[in-house]
Amino acid sequence: MEISLESLAIKRIADCDVYVGKGIPTPWKRLFGGQTLGQSVMAACYTVDSDYPIHSLHSYFILSGSSRKDILFNVERTRDGGSFKTRAVKAMQSNRTICLSQLSFHRKEPGLSYQIDLSDAIGQEIPSVEKYAGEESEDPSEGVYKHTVASGKNWTLRYVRLDVGAPKGWQVHCSLLTFLSDQGLTGTARMVHDANWSMCVSLDHSIHFHRPVEIDVEKWMLFYFRTEASSAARGTAVLQVFDGESHVLLATVHQEVLMRSEREEKSSL
Protein backbone atom coordinates (compact mmCIF):
# COMPACT_ATOMS: atom_id res chain seq x y z
CA MET A 1 0.00 0.00 0.00
CA GLU A 2 1.64 3.22 -1.19
CA ILE A 3 1.69 6.03 1.36
CA SER A 4 2.72 9.48 0.17
CA LEU A 5 1.90 13.15 0.62
CA GLU A 6 -0.10 12.91 -2.61
CA SER A 7 -2.31 10.26 -1.03
CA LEU A 8 -3.46 12.85 1.54
CA ALA A 9 -3.90 15.69 -0.96
CA ILE A 10 -7.32 17.33 -0.94
CA LYS A 11 -8.62 20.42 -2.73
CA ARG A 12 -10.99 23.00 -1.28
CA ILE A 13 -14.15 23.69 -3.26
CA ALA A 14 -15.83 27.10 -3.72
CA ASP A 15 -14.14 28.58 -0.64
CA CYS A 16 -16.31 26.34 1.57
CA ASP A 17 -15.50 23.69 4.18
CA VAL A 18 -15.82 21.10 1.43
CA TYR A 19 -12.85 19.24 -0.01
CA VAL A 20 -12.25 16.63 -2.68
CA GLY A 21 -9.55 13.97 -2.83
CA LYS A 22 -8.59 10.98 -4.93
CA GLY A 23 -8.29 7.37 -3.84
CA ILE A 24 -5.19 5.24 -4.17
CA PRO A 25 -5.64 2.41 -6.70
CA THR A 26 -5.87 -0.94 -4.91
CA PRO A 27 -5.86 -4.52 -6.25
CA TRP A 28 -9.31 -5.07 -4.73
CA LYS A 29 -10.62 -1.82 -6.34
CA ARG A 30 -12.05 -0.55 -3.05
CA LEU A 31 -10.80 2.42 -1.07
CA PHE A 32 -8.33 1.77 1.69
CA GLY A 33 -10.01 2.98 4.88
CA GLY A 34 -6.80 4.43 6.31
CA GLN A 35 -6.50 6.83 3.39
CA THR A 36 -10.08 8.05 3.84
CA LEU A 37 -9.39 8.61 7.55
CA GLY A 38 -6.12 10.44 6.85
CA GLN A 39 -7.83 12.73 4.36
CA SER A 40 -10.68 13.34 6.82
CA VAL A 41 -8.14 14.46 9.42
CA MET A 42 -6.48 16.78 6.89
CA ALA A 43 -9.85 18.29 5.93
CA ALA A 44 -10.72 18.99 9.57
CA CYS A 45 -7.26 20.43 10.27
CA TYR A 46 -7.76 23.02 7.53
CA THR A 47 -10.61 24.51 9.60
CA VAL A 48 -8.69 24.72 12.91
CA ASP A 49 -5.90 27.04 14.08
CA SER A 50 -2.51 25.35 14.50
CA ASP A 51 -2.42 26.05 18.25
CA TYR A 52 -5.31 23.57 18.70
CA PRO A 53 -3.70 20.16 18.00
CA ILE A 54 -5.93 17.16 17.40
CA HIS A 55 -6.45 14.93 20.43
CA SER A 56 -9.08 12.43 19.28
CA LEU A 57 -10.72 10.86 16.24
CA HIS A 58 -13.78 8.58 16.26
CA SER A 59 -14.89 7.15 12.92
CA TYR A 60 -17.37 4.65 11.49
CA PHE A 61 -16.92 2.95 8.15
CA ILE A 62 -20.42 3.01 6.65
CA LEU A 63 -19.91 1.69 3.11
CA SER A 64 -16.95 0.46 1.10
CA GLY A 65 -15.74 3.13 -1.32
CA SER A 66 -14.35 2.89 -4.83
CA SER A 67 -10.67 3.68 -5.38
CA ARG A 68 -11.57 4.86 -8.89
CA LYS A 69 -13.86 7.72 -7.81
CA ASP A 70 -13.18 11.07 -6.15
CA ILE A 71 -14.06 11.42 -2.46
CA LEU A 72 -15.95 14.45 -1.14
CA PHE A 73 -15.23 15.60 2.43
CA ASN A 74 -17.84 17.82 4.05
CA VAL A 75 -16.59 19.44 7.28
CA GLU A 76 -19.01 20.75 9.90
CA ARG A 77 -17.66 23.22 12.47
CA THR A 78 -19.67 21.77 15.34
CA ARG A 79 -18.18 23.90 18.11
CA ASP A 80 -15.41 26.45 18.65
CA GLY A 81 -14.71 26.79 22.35
CA GLY A 82 -11.87 28.36 24.26
CA SER A 83 -10.15 25.05 25.04
CA PHE A 84 -11.69 22.66 22.53
CA LYS A 85 -12.83 22.72 18.92
CA THR A 86 -15.07 19.99 17.49
CA ARG A 87 -15.44 18.98 13.86
CA ALA A 88 -17.61 16.42 12.04
CA VAL A 89 -16.43 15.10 8.67
CA LYS A 90 -18.63 13.20 6.25
CA ALA A 91 -16.78 11.38 3.46
CA MET A 92 -18.98 10.73 0.41
CA GLN A 93 -18.99 9.12 -3.02
CA SER A 94 -21.85 9.12 -5.53
CA ASN A 95 -24.02 11.02 -3.02
CA ARG A 96 -23.62 8.25 -0.42
CA THR A 97 -21.82 8.50 2.91
CA ILE A 98 -18.94 6.05 3.17
CA CYS A 99 -17.34 7.25 6.42
CA LEU A 100 -18.39 9.44 9.35
CA SER A 101 -15.80 11.01 11.66
CA GLN A 102 -15.91 13.14 14.80
CA LEU A 103 -12.68 14.97 15.65
CA SER A 104 -11.72 17.06 18.65
CA PHE A 105 -8.88 19.57 18.99
CA HIS A 106 -7.46 20.77 22.30
CA ARG A 107 -5.40 23.85 23.02
CA LYS A 108 -2.28 22.73 24.88
CA GLU A 109 -2.41 23.10 28.65
CA PRO A 110 -0.35 21.75 31.58
CA GLY A 111 -1.43 18.57 33.39
CA LEU A 112 -0.34 15.34 35.06
CA SER A 113 1.39 12.65 33.03
CA TYR A 114 1.47 8.82 33.12
CA GLN A 115 1.94 5.95 30.68
CA ILE A 116 2.51 2.20 30.69
CA ASP A 117 6.01 0.78 30.53
CA LEU A 118 6.30 -1.07 27.22
CA SER A 119 8.94 -3.54 28.48
CA ASP A 120 6.64 -4.53 31.35
CA ALA A 121 3.70 -4.87 28.96
CA ILE A 122 5.45 -7.41 26.69
CA GLY A 123 7.51 -9.02 29.48
CA GLN A 124 10.89 -8.56 27.79
CA GLU A 125 13.47 -5.99 26.81
CA ILE A 126 12.85 -4.02 23.64
CA PRO A 127 15.41 -4.66 20.87
CA SER A 128 17.21 -1.56 19.62
CA VAL A 129 16.13 -0.28 16.22
CA GLU A 130 19.80 -0.11 15.17
CA LYS A 131 19.72 -3.89 14.85
CA TYR A 132 17.15 -3.63 12.05
CA ALA A 133 17.99 -0.32 10.41
CA GLY A 134 20.05 -1.91 7.64
CA GLU A 135 17.67 -4.77 6.91
CA GLU A 136 15.20 -4.88 4.05
CA SER A 137 11.74 -3.64 5.02
CA GLU A 138 8.91 -6.14 5.47
CA ASP A 139 6.70 -3.74 3.51
CA PRO A 140 7.47 -3.59 -0.24
CA SER A 141 5.87 -0.14 -0.59
CA GLU A 142 8.25 2.68 -1.41
CA GLY A 143 9.02 4.93 1.53
CA VAL A 144 7.56 2.55 4.15
CA TYR A 145 9.86 0.72 6.56
CA LYS A 146 8.63 -2.01 8.91
CA HIS A 147 10.49 -4.53 11.06
CA THR A 148 8.72 -6.97 13.40
CA VAL A 149 10.93 -7.46 16.46
CA ALA A 150 8.83 -9.54 18.88
CA SER A 151 5.47 -11.26 19.12
CA GLY A 152 3.27 -13.35 21.39
CA LYS A 153 -0.04 -15.21 21.18
CA ASN A 154 -2.10 -12.02 20.94
CA TRP A 155 0.43 -9.25 20.29
CA THR A 156 3.08 -7.99 17.87
CA LEU A 157 5.80 -5.37 18.31
CA ARG A 158 7.03 -3.64 15.16
CA TYR A 159 9.33 -0.74 14.27
CA VAL A 160 7.75 1.53 11.66
CA ARG A 161 8.68 4.74 9.91
CA LEU A 162 8.01 6.60 6.66
CA ASP A 163 10.36 8.33 4.24
CA VAL A 164 8.02 10.51 2.18
CA GLY A 165 9.49 13.98 2.69
CA ALA A 166 6.78 15.07 5.12
CA PRO A 167 7.06 18.75 6.09
CA LYS A 168 7.06 19.84 9.72
CA GLY A 169 3.72 20.33 11.43
CA TRP A 170 1.46 18.13 13.52
CA GLN A 171 -1.33 18.33 10.93
CA VAL A 172 0.51 16.34 8.25
CA HIS A 173 2.21 13.93 10.66
CA CYS A 174 -1.00 13.11 12.55
CA SER A 175 -2.78 12.58 9.22
CA LEU A 176 -0.03 10.24 8.00
CA LEU A 177 -0.08 8.34 11.28
CA THR A 178 -3.85 7.98 10.92
CA PHE A 179 -3.28 6.51 7.46
CA LEU A 180 -0.64 4.11 8.82
CA SER A 181 -2.72 3.11 11.83
CA ASP A 182 -5.27 1.24 9.72
CA GLN A 183 -2.64 -1.27 8.56
CA GLY A 184 -2.36 -4.48 10.54
CA LEU A 185 -5.41 -4.19 12.79
CA THR A 186 -7.67 -6.71 11.07
CA GLY A 187 -4.82 -9.23 11.13
CA THR A 188 -4.30 -8.52 14.83
CA ALA A 189 -7.97 -9.11 15.65
CA ARG A 190 -7.93 -12.56 14.03
CA MET A 191 -4.44 -13.70 15.07
CA VAL A 192 -5.66 -15.77 18.05
CA HIS A 193 -8.04 -17.81 15.87
CA ASP A 194 -7.24 -20.73 13.59
CA ALA A 195 -9.93 -20.21 10.96
CA ASN A 196 -10.56 -19.73 7.28
CA TRP A 197 -12.10 -16.30 6.91
CA SER A 198 -14.83 -15.45 4.44
CA MET A 199 -14.94 -11.79 5.50
CA CYS A 200 -12.76 -9.48 7.61
CA VAL A 201 -13.56 -5.76 7.44
CA SER A 202 -13.07 -2.77 9.73
CA LEU A 203 -16.23 -1.41 11.35
CA ASP A 204 -14.88 1.60 13.19
CA HIS A 205 -11.63 3.33 14.11
CA SER A 206 -10.63 5.61 16.95
CA ILE A 207 -7.39 7.35 17.87
CA HIS A 208 -6.36 9.27 20.96
CA PHE A 209 -3.37 11.45 20.16
CA HIS A 210 -1.62 11.77 23.53
CA ARG A 211 1.28 13.89 22.22
CA PRO A 212 0.26 15.12 18.76
CA VAL A 213 2.92 17.79 18.38
CA GLU A 214 5.67 15.21 19.10
CA ILE A 215 4.58 12.81 16.37
CA ASP A 216 7.13 12.53 13.54
CA VAL A 217 6.38 9.66 11.16
CA GLU A 218 9.79 10.10 9.49
CA LYS A 219 11.44 8.87 12.70
CA TRP A 220 11.26 5.33 14.03
CA MET A 221 8.12 4.48 15.96
CA LEU A 222 7.25 1.32 17.89
CA PHE A 223 3.84 -0.14 17.02
CA TYR A 224 2.50 -2.41 19.78
CA PHE A 225 -0.47 -4.37 18.36
CA ARG A 226 -2.67 -6.60 20.50
CA THR A 227 -6.14 -8.14 20.54
CA GLU A 228 -8.14 -8.43 23.73
CA ALA A 229 -11.55 -9.87 22.86
CA SER A 230 -13.71 -11.35 20.11
CA SER A 231 -17.31 -12.57 20.06
CA ALA A 232 -20.46 -12.51 17.90
CA ALA A 233 -18.37 -12.31 14.69
CA ARG A 234 -16.60 -9.16 15.93
CA GLY A 235 -13.09 -8.73 17.26
CA THR A 236 -11.17 -5.81 18.74
CA ALA A 237 -7.65 -4.67 18.01
CA VAL A 238 -5.55 -2.12 19.87
CA LEU A 239 -2.45 -0.32 18.62
CA GLN A 240 -0.25 1.79 20.85
CA VAL A 241 2.31 3.98 19.09
CA PHE A 242 5.54 4.77 20.94
CA ASP A 243 8.51 6.92 20.03
CA GLY A 244 11.14 4.50 18.75
CA GLU A 245 13.94 5.89 20.90
CA SER A 246 12.41 7.37 24.06
CA HIS A 247 9.46 4.93 24.17
CA VAL A 248 7.13 7.81 25.01
CA LEU A 249 3.52 6.88 24.23
CA LEU A 250 2.33 9.05 21.33
CA ALA A 251 -1.09 7.65 20.42
CA THR A 252 -3.55 4.83 21.11
CA VAL A 253 -5.72 3.29 18.39
CA HIS A 254 -8.79 1.05 18.75
CA GLN A 255 -10.65 -0.78 16.03
CA GLU A 256 -13.52 -3.27 15.89
CA VAL A 257 -13.44 -5.80 13.06
CA LEU A 258 -16.22 -7.87 11.50
CA MET A 259 -14.81 -11.42 11.27
CA ARG A 260 -16.85 -14.12 9.57
CA SER A 261 -15.35 -17.57 9.22
CA GLU A 262 -16.37 -20.10 6.60
CA ARG A 263 -17.80 -22.36 9.32
CA GLU A 264 -20.03 -19.58 10.67
CA GLU A 265 -21.18 -18.70 7.16
CA LYS A 266 -22.30 -22.32 6.57
CA SER A 267 -24.05 -22.66 9.94
CA SER A 268 -26.14 -19.56 9.28
CA LEU A 269 -27.53 -20.90 5.98
Side-chain angles (χ1 to χ4, degrees):
M1 175 66 61
E2 180 184 355
I3 302 178
S4 64
L5 295 179
E6 289 73 21
S7 65
L8 290 179
I10 53 176
K11 182 179 179 181
R12 194 176 188 186
I13 298 176
D15 202 28
C16 297
D17 291 340
V18 180
Y19 303 83
V20 66
K22 295 185 178 298
I24 296 174
T26 62
W28 55 92
K29 299 180 182 179
R30 297 190 304 272
L31 275 176
F32 174 59
Q35 184 195 12
T36 304
L37 295 176
Q39 290 174 319
S40 295
V41 172
M42 282 300 302
C45 287
Y46 283 140
T47 71
V48 176
D49 295 336
S50 61
D51 55 347
Y52 283 80
I54 187 172
H55 77 91
S56 69
L57 162 75
H58 299 274
S59 301
Y60 282 96
F61 297 113
I62 309 300
L63 292 170
S64 60
S66 170
S67 61
R68 299 180 178 182
K69 297 179 181 179
D70 289 349
I71 316 152
L72 192 72
F73 299 91
N74 193 338
V75 182
E76 176 189 286
R77 302 190 187 213
T78 309
R79 180 177 183 269
D80 285 325
S83 296
F84 292 89
K85 295 182 183 292
T86 308
R87 298 291 183 264
V89 180
K90 181 187 293 186
M92 304 180 67
Q93 283 186 327
S94 302
N95 208 34
R96 297 192 304 169
T97 301
I98 61 173
C99 183
L100 287 173
S101 300
Q102 295 281 343
L103 305 93
S104 186
F105 301 79
H106 182 202
R107 186 174 62 185
K108 190 174 181 180
E109 60 180 271
L112 301 176
S113 180
Y114 168 80
Q115 71 167 71
I116 66 166
D117 184 282
L118 184 54
S119 295
D120 291 344
I122 65 174
Q124 63 186 65
E125 291 298 313
I126 301 168
S128 170
V129 69
E130 295 178 358
K131 178 180 178 181
Y132 306 91
E135 294 186 3
E136 185 176 349
S137 172
E138 298 170 9
D139 193 313
S141 304
E142 185 177 352
V144 182
Y145 299 90
K146 297 179 180 179
H147 300 287
T148 299
V149 298
S151 62
K153 178 182 178 180
N154 70 326
W155 60 272
T156 305
L157 186 66
R158 181 175 297 143
Y159 277 109
V160 181
R161 77 175 180 91
L162 297 180
D163 184 11
V164 295
K168 293 183 179 180
W170 60 264
Q171 297 92 333
V172 172
H173 287 267
C174 287
S175 298
L176 286 168
L177 179 60
T178 300
F179 192 139
L180 265 176
S181 70
D182 194 34
Q183 295 186 346
L185 291 174
T186 56
T188 298
R190 64 177 184 249
M191 69 184 298
V192 295
H193 300 285
D194 182 14
N196 294 320
W197 302 102
S198 61
M199 178 180 289
C200 286
V201 294
S202 307
L203 296 173
D204 62 9
H205 197 94
S206 69
I207 307 178
H208 287 98
F209 299 89
H210 308 301
R211 301 174 184 269
V213 298
E214 297 179 27
I215 292 173
D216 186 343
V217 297
E218 302 261 337
K219 295 182 179 179
W220 286 111
M221 300 170 286
L222 268 170
F223 279 25
Y224 173 41
F225 297 91
R226 68 183 187 276
T227 183
E228 298 177 340
S230 55
S231 64
R234 301 187 314 277
T236 57
V238 182
L239 164 62
Q240 289 181 297
V241 181
F242 295 81
D243 182 280
E245 294 184 359
S246 67
H247 300 166
V248 168
L249 181 58
L250 302 173
T252 299
V253 183
H254 289 84
Q255 186 174 100
E256 189 173 44
V257 180
L258 177 65
M259 306 187 304
R260 290 176 176 161
S261 68
E262 291 181 355
R263 181 184 302 175
E264 291 165 338
E265 287 272 302
K266 292 177 181 179
S267 65
S268 64
L269 295 178

